[in-house]
Amino acid sequence: MKRTKAIVALGSNTRQEENIGKAKLMVASLLEDCRFTQELWTQPIGIDSDRFLNALATGYTTLAQEELQVRLKQIERKLGNTKEQRQEGVVCIDIDLLQYGTAMLKKEDWKRPYIQELVHSA
């Protein structure tokens, strides 16, 4: 099977260290040769909430892009992320696929200074 490089963003504004730690373990089970950047505290963008703790994961997958995205969203749900909580500004965990192979996804996220800082520290 072909291995494809993936970059995944993780963020949490609730029990940040605990949720990022759990998410890292679960994401690492999906990506071969998985490495994580430093963790970075940031102010929320577009919501009124506590600070976010963010990190990026890089690794390789044999999963199709759609299957990887489904599994990342399953991790969000397992860690307690719900649409209702999001509407209240509570983000237990946010996991987004930013890059799959050469495809850059979530183009607006790439413009965020903290994403740029984490990418350059990877």
Side-chain angles (χ1 to χ4, degrees):
M1 283 209 173
K2 183 179 176 228
R3 286 174 18 127
T4 302
K5 183 176 180 180
I7 299 177
V8 177
L10 301 99
S12 175
N13 70 357
T14 305
R15 297 186 322 276
Q16 294 93 323
E17 283 123 340
E18 176 186 341
N19 286 325
I20 290 290
K22 288 178 182 177
K24 282 181 171 182
L25 290 173
M26 297 170 97
V27 168
S29 73
L30 294 178
L31 299 177
E32 299 170 18
D33 301 323
C34 186
R35 292 204 162 95
F36 293 94
T37 63
Q38 68 186 21
E39 295 174 355
L40 189 63
W41 289 97
T42 61
Q43 294 302 316
I45 299 172
I47 64 171
D48 182 24
S49 78
D50 195 2
R51 294 183 307 159
F52 275 79
L53 186 58
N54 304 278
L56 296 181
T58 59
Y60 296 87
T61 183
T62 55
L63 297 172
Q65 179 180 331
E66 298 76 21
E67 181 62 22
L68 179 57
Q69 287 177 307
V70 165
R71 296 211 187 167
L72 294 172
K73 294 306 166 191
Q74 287 172 342
I75 293 171
E76 285 184 350
R77 285 191 299 278
K78 282 180 187 173
L79 292 179
N81 205 41
T82 66
K83 192 177 192 179
E84 294 77 25
Q85 284 183 321
R86 287 275 183 115
Q87 291 171 342
E88 295 173 12
V90 176
V91 180
C92 293
I93 193 72
D94 184 32
I95 305 174
D96 292 315
L97 183 59
L98 294 183
Q99 183 175 334
Y100 184 85
T102 58
M104 306 291 274
L105 312 169
K106 308 284 274 182
K107 300 237 192 256
E108 288 303 309
D109 287 1
W110 282 99
K111 296 176 186 175
R112 295 182 175 175
Y114 73 91
I115 294 288
Q116 289 296 314
E117 184 175 339
L118 290 172
V119 165
H120 292 299
S121 76

